Amino acid sequence: MAGSTLFAEQALLPEGWASDVLFEIGADGDLAAVVPDAAAHPARRTAPVAAGPVIPGMPNLHSHAFQRAMAGLTERAGKAGDEDSFWTWRQLMYAFAGRIAPGEVEAIAAQAYVEMLKAGYTAVGEFHYLHHDLDGRAYANPAEMSERIIAAAHAAGIGITHLPVLYAQGGFGGEPPRPGQRRFLHDLDGFLGLVDALSQRHARDPQVRVGIAPHSLRAVTPELLAGAVRGLHARDRDAPVHIHIAEQTKEVDDCLAWSGKRPVQWLLDTMQVDRRWCLVHATHMTGDETKRVAASGAVAGLCPTTEANLGDGIFPATDFLAAGGRFGIGSDSHISVSPVEELRWLEYGQRLLHRRRNVLSGGGSVGARLYRAALAGGAQALARPIGRFATGARADLLVIDKNAPCMLGKTGDALLDAFVFAGNVNPVRDVMVGGKWLVQERHYLAEEAVFARFRSAIATLGA
Ligand code: NGQ
Ligand code: ZN
């Protein structure tokens, strides 16, 4: 790929909105230069002009790609007498996960990633636990399923931080794994072998980063957790560690019964949690835990539409942000694949809770604050040079359609407010990742081919 240029009348730079910005994009997909006030720049005359304001693409820090194919299948009452909950949903999810073969995972992930790109996500953190064959045995290549996921990301063009999941027990205190969990299981050696194989295979690919995801405190022993983090950081000291931490109140109660501590408290007391960590669904925290997570530099991985869908609870966002906490967003179960819907529901949860408006504004525009914070937190959690327009960062960008009805007459932060709160008809017009145009005029280049493979996977699964 040769280098290229792009000229934007308005663009969101790290220091704020700028005018007449010239992007110089290297053949490697990195930004070679970002020049504001470039109306008189010699390259200006030949550079294509973006059809609207240009903003960084959003990192999606938490995805279980296969769940895109079951979105909408669990929204009806279950067995009479059973109260529908996160845990009954999980049974249905396990039954679905138990049937998916490698080709289907790849087809579903490619479809999910194309939908992400069109909505404005340009990178994904794939929290991947569907490792083994239907009977729980490793595939001939133990990295088969991971490679399918990475192949889907490559085919779609989205950047990926692949987070193989460590899963070893059915619940706190060494509870045996359940049959529905057999595809997820590893011992420490097998797990680190997988991490090594993936890290080596993709070491030189700027679109791929490898980290780990101990699934939850429910699913690993303290020894395994420590061993996996130690093993990872001995190999790659900056690699990210993601964990589901305190999503359901039952999980908090079970952790208390097991250890005398709440999950976030246990984690912070036991592990050295720092900026390499992403605590997904840190939903249930005391005031003290909230302050401690904020002070740790870790990213809170928030997935408001999934957290609402599963009846998790509401994250203490006001206290967390007041304490300087960092967050990013994820589409998790993919009941929604839209960054603006995540950000909107993050704010709306707080408005409903506190019965106030503009709760997370930080004194300015809510949309701008949330979008910018989620760019920074998402980039940190995915441990790739993304989320900002600066030399050396990836050329991952969105062109917002300046002629979309909700964008007319808006500039600067007002544009982000309109995008987050009123962008129901997607105003993302064009999307570039790693210097390549993937979406143009709202159309993903190979959309029909990806959809055809998804359609046949759904037909096979009989979903
Ligand atoms: C997951 N999803 O791993 O897909 C989980 C459900 C669990 C969310 N937590 C399984 N949203 O947590 O045990
Ligand atoms: Zn999850």
Side-chain angles (χ1 to χ4, degrees), residues 62-64 67 127 129 215 244 247 280-281 303 306 332-333:
H62 192 67
S63 161
H64 308 289
Q67 291 178 15
F127 198 108
Y129 53 85
H215 180 275
H244 292 131
E247 180 171 13
V280 182
H281 313 307
C303 311
T306 294
D332 191 352
S333 70

Side-chain angles (χ1 to χ4, degrees), residues 177-248:
R178 313 195 184 163
Q181 296 163 338
R182 65 177 174 256
R183 301 189 73 183
F184 316 162
L185 306 173
H186 275 108
D187 60 20
L188 187 59
D189 283 349
F191 179 70
L192 290 175
L194 174 64
V195 173
D196 277 338
L198 292 168
S199 308
Q200 280 159 21
R201 180 126 195 265
H202 302 284
R204 273 170 295 283
D205 187 338
Q207 290 291 93
V208 180
R209 182 82 157 101
V210 176
I212 63 168
H215 180 275
S216 52
L217 296 182
R218 294 176 266 125
V220 293
T221 62
E223 295 71 33
L224 275 175
L225 175 61
V229 174
R230 201 180 317 114
L232 176 74
H233 287 150
R235 290 159 169 82
D236 177 353
R237 52 193 296 272
D238 300 319
V241 179
H242 290 217
I243 187 167
H244 292 131
I245 192 63
E247 180 171 13
Q248 283 279 317

